[in-house]
Amino acid sequence: MTTLVWFRDDLRVHDHPALHEAMQAGEGSHAVALYVLDEVSPGVRPLGGAARWWLHHSLEHLAGELSALGVELLVREGPANRVVREVVEATGSSAVLWNRRYGGPERDIDARLKHELRERGVAAHSFFANLLIEPWHVATQAGTPYRVYGAFRRALGERLRPDLPLPAPSSQRGGDASPPASSRSTSLDALLAENISVLDHEPAWAGGLARRWSPGTAHAHERLRVFLEGGLEGYAEGRDLPASDATSGLSPHLRFGELSPREVWHATHAAAAQQGLDPEKFLSEIIWREFAWHTLYAAPDLATTNLNPRYEALGWITASDAQTGPEAELLQAWLEGRTGFGLVDAGMRELWATGTMHNRVRMTAASLLTKNLGIDWRVGEAWFWDTLVDADQASNPFNWQWVAGSGADAAPYFRVFNPERQAERFDPDGEYVERWAPDSLLIPPIVDLRESRLAALARYDALP
Ligand SMILES: Cc1cc2nc3c(=O)[nH]c(=O)nc-3n(C[C@H](O)[C@H](O)[C@H](O)COP(=O)(O)OP(=O)(O)OC[C@H]3O[C@@H](n4cnc5c(N)ncnc54)[C@H](O)[C@@H]3O)c2cc1C
């Protein structure tokens, strides 16, 4: 009897309930793992370049870990629904197991697939694994989703009792149970080789990612351990300083599920108790992640539509105008880190060089684009989507909408980050700017901060 475990954004073997269940099945049963690179099903968002790079390396690590457990990883490309059914047939699987995901198109795929598999007599089960609490367990008294972080966090605090993480399963016995190879199987090597050739077009860029990052669960655990041992104590003070290495750097590992939020949650509590520290500040960031995902669950078009529909009428400079109109030069300067605002330029160049940008700088750069330049937040969101290694279906659009003030959280629309003041407060010695954009101070600013701020406020005030 073969059980197929379908991996998605949960590229780990520990705290993986679907894998755990498949490996419990006992004598005569056999687990096979599958990853489907699906960029074609309706509504599914193709990965950006940096995330693709991460995925490539993360899958390599996962294949090794699964192999050590006696489980083969098949990697296929195509519409997930069709591909999973083909693999079920080719492997003779009698059950398909997966961990739940929360994007709208993905939920549709999973629901339809579950139904179709069951109609064919194949068992299909999904498990809770990738959040701290299911989104449908947290709602206001009126039954609506929370839109304000403080209230969300309080509600979560009352209900949150995350289970302890599951260990990695023990190895399955080999022997006669190996699955028949599918004639149409895309081998891991072939798919990864294809991705490598994509990366070969940008060798310098991929090299920058490789210098900064080490994908895979072993590295994720190591990063968590190092942060909890040495970084938790200074986190609250240091987390806003882009020149310091004071944050965890866990976001791409969480994005690809190399670590589960439950693991981070429990490990943080344990480390804090041992060191006599208060982990609240760090855990509140993990709860922001949760809030972004619960928001996406309630608003599946988060990346394309203002959460508050009023803001559709704001008169944003659209993507096509920003690329071809008089603003094209402004947008180009922002993308390339040539705005003349040191903190923003440093951030945009750090992003291009390493696939990440410090949170404080993300907020400042996003504010300059959406408020001072008046360019639609979706333009910046798309750039981040392509260039961030942690580009996340929920956190990226959620945070862009948060900065744009278009409905996420109580972030007031009239808060305009002043990049010069942000630099004075959070990079007082200019260390971060010096590191990434030392020439920026010589570039004339592309926009007058005061005038553009007033113009932005006037646009917001004029909304019906
Ligand atoms: C415009 C903009 C776009 C962003 N896009 C993304 C994105 O695509 N993916 C992403 O993971 N984060 C995104 N963030 C949030 C945040 O900048 C990153 O999570 C953080 O910089 C990652 O660094 P870290 O892991 O060292 O964070 P830490 O400070 O160590 O925080 C721990 C974890 O908490 C979560 N977290 C922290 N801040 C936030 C936040 N504001 N929203 C949601 N989760 C958070 C992350 O999973 C992070 O790894 C964005 C923020 C802004 C302002």
Side-chain angles (χ1 to χ4, degrees):
M1 200 177 80
T2 300
T3 300
L4 189 65
V5 183
W6 180 17
F7 282 78
R8 294 94 74 85
D9 287 337
D10 48 7
L11 305 179
R12 59 180 184 267
V13 297
H14 42 85
D15 202 26
H16 195 294
L19 179 67
H20 202 83
E21 177 71 20
M23 304 282 281
Q24 299 280 343
E27 200 67 23
S29 72
H30 189 92
V32 177
L34 170 68
Y35 181 85
V36 184
L37 181 64
D38 179 2
E39 302 189 302
V40 291
S41 289
V44 168
R45 195 173 185 184
L47 291 179
R52 218 178 150 84
W53 174 87
W54 191 287
L55 173 69
H56 166 93
H57 293 288
S58 195
L59 282 174
E60 279 178 333
H61 285 276
L62 179 69
E65 281 162 25
L66 283 169
S67 165
L69 297 177
V71 177
E72 182 188 8
L73 175 64
L74 304 174
V75 177
R76 296 283 201 90
E77 206 170 1
N81 188 308
R82 198 195 73 208
V83 171
V84 173
R85 283 186 284 118
E86 282 174 3
V87 174
V88 164
E89 225 161 90
T91 54
S93 296
S94 56
V96 184
L97 311 183
W98 62 75
N99 295 328
R100 281 193 276 284
R101 51 187 181 172
Y102 301 93
E106 290 81 5
R107 279 191 284 139
D108 289 346
I109 293 170
D110 295 355
R112 200 167 322 124
L113 180 64
K114 201 179 254 186
H115 178 74
E116 287 170 5
L117 288 171
R118 284 176 179 170
E119 279 207 323
R120 290 161 183 233
V122 177
H125 297 293
S126 62
F127 297 82
F128 172 63
N130 297 323
L131 292 175
L132 292 170
I133 187 168
E134 295 283 21
W136 48 89
H137 289 158
V138 188
T140 64
Q141 284 195 336
T144 55
Y146 282 99
R147 280 286 163 85
V148 176
Y149 175 75
F152 173 80
R153 192 181 162 175
R154 275 191 297 281
L156 199 75
E158 284 161 18
R159 297 175 180 82
L160 195 57
R161 304 282 174 272
D163 288 339
L164 287 172
L166 295 165
S170 9
S171 173
Q172 67 185 0
R173 280 180 289 277
D176 59 9
S178 44
S182 155
S183 57
R184 301 192 55 202
S185 169
T186 306
S187 77
L188 180 65
D189 282 351
L191 187 64
L192 294 181
E194 210 176 285
N195 286 348
I196 283 174
S197 69
V198 171
L199 295 173
D200 278 347
H201 294 304
E202 306 273 11
W205 187 63
L209 301 185
R211 274 191 295 283
R212 174 73 174 75
W213 296 105
S214 302
T217 50
H219 295 119
H221 280 283
E222 178 61 7
R223 193 171 268 275
L224 176 63
R225 186 190 64 74
V226 168
F227 172 72
L228 291 178
E229 271 179 25
L232 195 55
E233 185 168 10
Y235 179 79
E237 295 74 41
R239 63 179 288 273
D240 269 322
L241 307 175
S244 70
D245 190 17
T247 64
S248 70
L250 288 173
S251 55
H253 298 291
L254 280 162
R255 152 68 182 84
F256 285 95
E258 295 170 355
L259 272 175
S260 75
R262 272 198 298 231
E263 289 176 295
V264 175
W265 187 267
H266 286 290
T268 303
H269 274 293
Q274 207 179 29
Q275 297 169 49
L277 298 173
D278 179 359
E280 283 314 305
K281 192 63 211 156
F282 179 66
L283 291 178
S284 84
E285 300 307 319
I286 302 296
I287 296 176
W288 271 106
R289 173 185 180 274
E290 193 82 5
F291 189 35
W293 273 100
H294 286 221
T295 304
L296 178 72
Y297 176 75
D301 51 5
L302 188 65
T304 53
T305 309
N306 287 293
L307 267 170
N308 183 337
R310 273 177 78 218
Y311 289 90
E312 294 297 340
L314 187 78
W316 306 99
I317 297 165
T318 62
S320 62
D321 285 349
Q323 272 145 23
T324 55
E327 293 81 13
E329 271 184 35
L330 300 178
L331 175 61
Q332 205 54 34
W334 183 83
L335 291 171
E336 292 174 10
R338 289 186 293 98
T339 66
F341 298 106
L343 194 68
V344 173
D345 291 348
M348 297 304 290
R349 296 188 206 181
E350 180 188 19
L351 173 62
W352 183 249
T354 67
T356 192
M357 192 197 293
H358 189 275
N359 181 58
R360 172 63 45 188
V361 192
R362 291 188 202 199
M363 291 192 289
T364 310
S367 175
L368 187 77
L369 187 80
T370 55
K371 304 267 171 81
N372 300 95
L373 301 181
I375 294 177
D376 197 316
W377 58 265
R378 286 162 279 217
V379 176
E381 197 272 346
W383 179 249
F384 274 29
W385 179 259
D386 199 28
T387 51
L388 281 172
V389 284
D390 65 16
D392 183 281
Q393 200 182 346
S395 294
N396 197 40
F398 173 88
N399 278 287
W400 273 94
Q401 294 224 38
W402 185 88
V403 175
S406 55
D409 193 42
Y413 70 83
F414 50 81
R415 182 166 62 207
V416 181
F417 287 75
N418 179 317
E420 291 172 344
R421 288 219 44 235
Q422 293 289 314
E424 281 160 25
R425 285 186 63 195
F426 300 110
D427 189 33
D429 303 326
E431 195 185 333
Y432 178 71
V433 175
E434 179 63 28
R435 189 182 304 160
W436 290 108
D439 60 317
S440 176
L441 301 176
L442 305 172
I443 301 173
I446 57 168
V447 69
D448 180 285
L449 289 179
R450 193 173 165 277
E451 268 173 29
S452 58
R453 175 175 177 276
L454 292 175
L457 296 184
R459 281 197 304 278
Y460 282 87
D461 284 338
L463 277 178

